[in-house]
């Protein structure tokens, strides 16, 4: 292309995005587990011939921002030929935490080199380890489940059964895992077909130029936003309650440096706590993913998110900290909890830059609940995994939404009908947690109450936060309510508190109650 054609670029952008969306639809329709087919805990993306992301599905932010590192790890360490698919989940090789399994497939047309790479990531509700559901308060990554480096799951179109069986022999629910892995393979093949068809409309040089133009366009959009920000250095901090092993708080600190003349933004996390013994450590991919999410929030809704979006950003971390953990640190909660707190902290700093745009803190925890055991209906193991929504923070012009997933998660709930059909559980209550949102000129959204009765002896694991540090309000608004969890044991009349990061074996008949945080309020209340 001798000159940028904005209409053609818009058509190309939407075509690429539609392929990523179709990947997700195929994965959802063919998956076996409720976690994928009901909650939609998956993400899909398209990468160019240089393994740079050019299109993302409207899926899970925590997946999408970190997936490029998984693709880079696969492409740089494996020989991926036509018909091959790589698989990996290693957080120290581009992954996030072990339940998130990523597949990477090269796409060939007539050329001898890939013209695209496609990737599908899904959260599997069990990948082994010492806790059912693989999301417990562990102390090192070796306790969290099977760790998969970049290897072939499909070679020359043929399933690598030795690799598949190795995975299935290390999980509690192999039938479900095999079905979900097959769904991911199918999603990649759908994307392969669609991108090959797309490539037939363009010459190879033209296709490469369109990818470059799309990345450049994303970069210009971010630089345009940065030009409008006041120059300066803005500092913020927030805390995770603890790491599940020690009682002390875990600090996330950021210094945000804006240079509108250079159209650059630096996010410096070097003041954050050293990596901890518990499982809330985040690898650098997670921190980068949180930064990408915040940048995306500053752009218009129709803006493409690509590798170019990150070009104006400088991310600064210290290795061996809770935001840039090193092996063998446990990381199951870094993906789901620390990612949320990183976003909370960045937004708190940005509120000093653009107070008329930034909302108060949302719930700030995914409230990860895992229940596993033996289902007496079929005598097979089961693992139920859920992230329970909370309140959204109020903004400068609106109340927060109640009972919604926010920031780094974009999943749905498991409908009661599907939950009770699939698992030996009975839902006793599912409601809004009234008045849990922070007060203010605009009120924070309310959290949720979800109460279960265990219909089988089970291992219950909770990986959550905000039992000690509430979601903050802004501009005079009040904080949202803290989270709570409790259990009523069989024969007991009083509730027993459940720690935010804990695992315990509970008898059939136990009633478990989760109350999620409300969002912070915005502005001093008028009353």
């Amino acid at each position: 292309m001798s000159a940028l054609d904005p209409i053609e670029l818009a058509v190309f952008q939407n075509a690429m995005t539609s392929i990523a969306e179709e990947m997700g639809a195929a994965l959802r329709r063919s998956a076996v587990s409720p976690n994928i087919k009901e909650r939609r805990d998956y993400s899909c993306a398209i990468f160019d011939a240089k393994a740079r992301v050019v299109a993302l599905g409207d899926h899970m932010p925590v997946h999408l921002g970190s997936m490029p590192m998984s693709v880079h790890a696969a492409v740089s360490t494996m020989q991926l030929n036509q018909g091959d698919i790589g698989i990996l989940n290693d957080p120290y090789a581009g992954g996030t935490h072990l339940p998130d399994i990523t597949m990477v497939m090269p796409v060939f047309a007539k050329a001898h080199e890939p013209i695209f790479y496609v990737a599908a990531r899904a959260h599997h509700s069990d990948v082994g380890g010492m806790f059912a559901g693989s999301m417990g308060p562990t102390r090192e990554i070796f306790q969290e489940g099977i760790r998969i480096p970049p290897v072939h799951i499909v070679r020359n179109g043929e399933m690598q059964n030795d690799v598949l069986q190795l995975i299935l022999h290390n999980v509690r629910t192999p039938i479900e895992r095999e079905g979900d892995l097959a769904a991911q393979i199918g999603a990649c093949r759908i994307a392969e077909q669609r991108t090959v068809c797309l490539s037939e409309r363009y010459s190879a040089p033209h296709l490469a130029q369109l990818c470059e133009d799309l990345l450049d366009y994303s970069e210009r959009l971010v630089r345009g936003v940065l030009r409008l920000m006041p120059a300066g250095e803005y500092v913020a901090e927030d805390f995770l309650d603890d790491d599940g092993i020690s009682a002390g708080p875990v600090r996330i600190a950021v210094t945000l440096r804006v240079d509108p003349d250079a159209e650059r933004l630096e996010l410096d996390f070097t003041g954050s706590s050293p990596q901890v013994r518990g499982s809330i450590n985040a690898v650098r991919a997670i921190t980068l993913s949180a930064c990408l999410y915040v940048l995306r929030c500053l752009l218009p809704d129709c803006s493409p998110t690509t590798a170019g979006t990150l070009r104006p950003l400088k991310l600064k971390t210290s290795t061996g900290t809770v935001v840039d953990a090193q092996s063998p640190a446990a990381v199951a909660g870094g993906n789901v909890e620390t990612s949320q707190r990183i976003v909370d902290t960045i937004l708190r700093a940005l509120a000093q830059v653009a107070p008329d745009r930034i909302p108060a803190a949302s719930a700030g925890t995914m409230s990860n609940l895992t229940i596993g055991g033996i289902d007496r209906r079929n005598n097979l193991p089961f693992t139920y995994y859920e992230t329970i929504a909370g309140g959204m923070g109020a903004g400068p012009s609106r109340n927060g939404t109640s009972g919604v997933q926010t920031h780094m998660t974009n999943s749905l709930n498991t409908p009661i009908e599907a939950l009770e059909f699939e698992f030996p559980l009975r839902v006793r209550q599912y409601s809004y947690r009234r008045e849990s949102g922070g007060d203010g000129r605009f009120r924070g959204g309310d959290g949720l109450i979800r109460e279960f009765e265990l219909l089988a002896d089970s291992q219950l694991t909770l990986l959550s936060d905000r039992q000690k540090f509430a979601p903050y309000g802004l501009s005079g608004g009040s904080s949202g309510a803290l989270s709570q969890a409790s259990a009523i044991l069989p024969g007991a009349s009083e509730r027993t508190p459940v720690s935010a990061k804990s695992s315990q074996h509970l008898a059939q008949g136990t009633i478990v109650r989760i109350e999620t945080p409300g969002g912070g309020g915005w502005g001093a209340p008028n009353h």
Side-chain angles (χ1 to χ4, degrees), residues 453-475:
E453 180 181 353
L454 307 184
L455 303 182
D457 295 346
S458 305
Q459 183 182 30
L460 180 139
T461 303
L462 184 62
L463 187 53
S464 64
D465 207 74
R466 292 294 196 196
Q467 286 192 352
K468 301 175 183 176
F469 295 93
Y472 58 80
L474 282 178
S475 298

Side-chain angles (χ1 to χ4, degrees), residues 197-214:
C197 288
L198 184 67
S199 71
E200 293 172 354
R201 296 168 51 186
Y202 304 100
S203 67
H206 194 169
L207 192 64
Q209 187 60 54
L210 283 169
C211 290
E212 292 291 347
D213 289 342
L214 190 56

Side-chain angles (χ1 to χ4, degrees), residues 72-96:
H72 175 75
V75 171
S76 62
T77 61
M78 302 174 63
Q79 181 64 45
L80 288 170
N81 299 314
Q82 188 163 8
D84 293 355
I85 300 178
I87 186 173
L88 71 156
N89 74 344
D90 186 358
Y92 297 108
T96 52

Side-chain angles (χ1 to χ4, degrees), residues 62-63 66 96-97 100 121 123 135 279-282 286 331-340 366 408:
V62 73
H63 289 171
S66 54
T96 52
H97 64 178
D100 286 345
R121 172 174 289 175
H123 182 113
M135 288 288 292
S279 63
I280 60 167
N281 300 290
I286 292 297
V331 296
N335 183 63
V336 290
E337 296 302 295
T338 308
S339 67
Q340 294 283 65
M366 296 190 196
M408 296 304 281

Side-chain angles (χ1 to χ4, degrees), residues 113-243:
E113 298 294 328
I115 56 171
F116 291 107
Y117 293 91
V118 298
R121 172 174 289 175
H123 182 113
H124 289 252
S125 55
D126 186 88
V127 291
M130 66 187 296
F131 297 103
S134 316
M135 288 288 292
T138 51
R139 296 176 181 242
E140 58 181 358
I141 194 170
F142 306 111
Q143 298 173 330
E144 295 188 316
I146 185 169
R147 187 174 168 191
I148 309 168
V151 294
H152 285 85
I153 188 70
V154 176
R155 193 187 294 269
N156 195 27
E158 298 294 327
M159 178 70 76
Q160 301 300 287
N161 284 313
D162 52 352
V163 175
L164 177 63
Q165 292 304 315
L166 180 63
I167 296 171
L168 299 182
H169 275 70
N170 282 278
V171 302
R172 294 172 177 83
T173 50
I175 296 173
E176 190 176 86
R177 298 287 67 72
E178 184 173 9
D180 287 348
L181 290 171
Q184 286 182 259
I185 291 172
C188 288
R189 287 177 170 159
I190 286 287
E192 179 190 32
Q193 295 172 16
R194 299 294 183 264
T195 47
V196 168
C197 288
L198 184 67
S199 71
E200 293 172 354
R201 296 168 51 186
Y202 304 100
S203 67
H206 194 169
L207 192 64
Q209 187 60 54
L210 283 169
C211 290
E212 292 291 347
D213 289 342
L214 190 56
L215 268 61
D216 292 345
Y217 175 52
S218 299
E219 178 184 359
R220 288 196 301 274
L221 288 173
V222 177
R223 292 191 184 279
V225 170
L226 296 179
R227 272 199 308 271
L228 302 177
M229 289 186 176
E233 185 171 287
Y234 308 89
V235 178
E237 66 177 9
D238 205 342
F239 295 87
L240 291 151
D241 294 344
D242 53 56
D243 68 347

Side-chain angles (χ1 to χ4, degrees), residues 118-453:
V118 298
R121 172 174 289 175
H123 182 113
H124 289 252
S125 55
D126 186 88
V127 291
M130 66 187 296
F131 297 103
S134 316
M135 288 288 292
T138 51
R139 296 176 181 242
E140 58 181 358
I141 194 170
F142 306 111
Q143 298 173 330
E144 295 188 316
I146 185 169
R147 187 174 168 191
I148 309 168
V151 294
H152 285 85
I153 188 70
V154 176
R155 193 187 294 269
N156 195 27
E158 298 294 327
M159 178 70 76
Q160 301 300 287
N161 284 313
D162 52 352
V163 175
L164 177 63
Q165 292 304 315
L166 180 63
I167 296 171
L168 299 182
H169 275 70
N170 282 278
V171 302
R172 294 172 177 83
T173 50
I175 296 173
E176 190 176 86
R177 298 287 67 72
E178 184 173 9
D180 287 348
L181 290 171
Q184 286 182 259
I185 291 172
C188 288
R189 287 177 170 159
I190 286 287
E192 179 190 32
Q193 295 172 16
R194 299 294 183 264
T195 47
V196 168
C197 288
L198 184 67
S199 71
E200 293 172 354
R201 296 168 51 186
Y202 304 100
S203 67
H206 194 169
L207 192 64
Q209 187 60 54
L210 283 169
C211 290
E212 292 291 347
D213 289 342
L214 190 56
L215 268 61
D216 292 345
Y217 175 52
S218 299
E219 178 184 359
R220 288 196 301 274
L221 288 173
V222 177
R223 292 191 184 279
V225 170
L226 296 179
R227 272 199 308 271
L228 302 177
M229 289 186 176
E233 185 171 287
Y234 308 89
V235 178
E237 66 177 9
D238 205 342
F239 295 87
L240 291 151
D241 294 344
D242 53 56
D243 68 347
I245 306 298
S246 304
V250 179
R251 181 176 187 247
I252 307 294
V254 67
T255 299
L256 186 153
R257 300 183 179 95
V258 181
D259 186 346
D261 294 332
E263 301 170 1
R264 297 284 297 175
L265 175 68
E266 179 180 292
L267 291 171
D268 183 350
F269 290 90
T270 54
S272 300
S273 291
Q275 66 187 54
V276 294
R277 292 189 295 162
S279 63
I280 60 167
N281 300 290
V283 294
R284 184 179 167 89
I286 292 297
T287 304
L288 183 63
S289 185
C291 296
L292 175 63
Y293 166 76
V294 172
L295 283 177
R296 179 63 185 83
C297 289
L298 296 173
L299 299 176
D301 289 344
C302 60
S303 303
T305 305
T306 73
T309 306
L310 287 171
R311 287 175 180 168
L313 172 72
K314 179 180 180 181
L315 172 60
K316 189 174 181 181
T317 61
S318 296
T319 56
T321 59
V322 74
V323 297
D324 189 355
Q326 303 298 297
S327 181
V331 296
N335 183 63
V336 290
E337 296 302 295
T338 308
S339 67
Q340 294 283 65
R341 195 64 68 257
I342 293 170
V343 170
D344 289 340
T345 310
I346 298 173
L347 291 178
R348 202 169 199 171
L350 274 174
Q352 304 168 48
V353 182
D356 59 335
R357 295 193 62 186
I358 304 302
S362 295
T365 173
M366 296 190 196
S367 296
N368 304 268
L369 176 68
T370 311
I371 303 174
I374 302 296
D375 190 337
R376 295 185 178 184
R377 298 172 297 180
N378 53 24
N379 291 319
L380 292 175
F382 75 93
T383 53
Y384 160 69
Y385 172 69
E386 185 87 62
T387 58
I388 305 175
M392 177 185 289
S397 61
R398 51 146 184 85
N399 295 326
T401 305
S402 297
V404 65
Q405 301 282 8
T406 54
H407 296 325
M408 296 304 281
T409 177
N410 193 28
S411 61
L412 304 180
N413 65 180
T414 305
I416 293 173
E417 298 85 352
L419 190 160
E420 294 185 342
F421 177 80
E422 294 279 355
F423 306 109
L425 300 168
R426 179 179 294 124
V427 178
R428 293 172 57 98
Q429 181 179 350
Y430 191 25
S431 64
Y432 289 118
R433 186 184 177 197
R434 300 297 181 186
E435 305 300 317
S436 58
D439 196 9
R441 187 188 316 162
F442 297 100
R443 189 173 184 87
D446 289 333
L448 293 179
I449 298 173
R450 198 156 198 184
E451 191 171 274
F452 306 84
E453 180 181 353

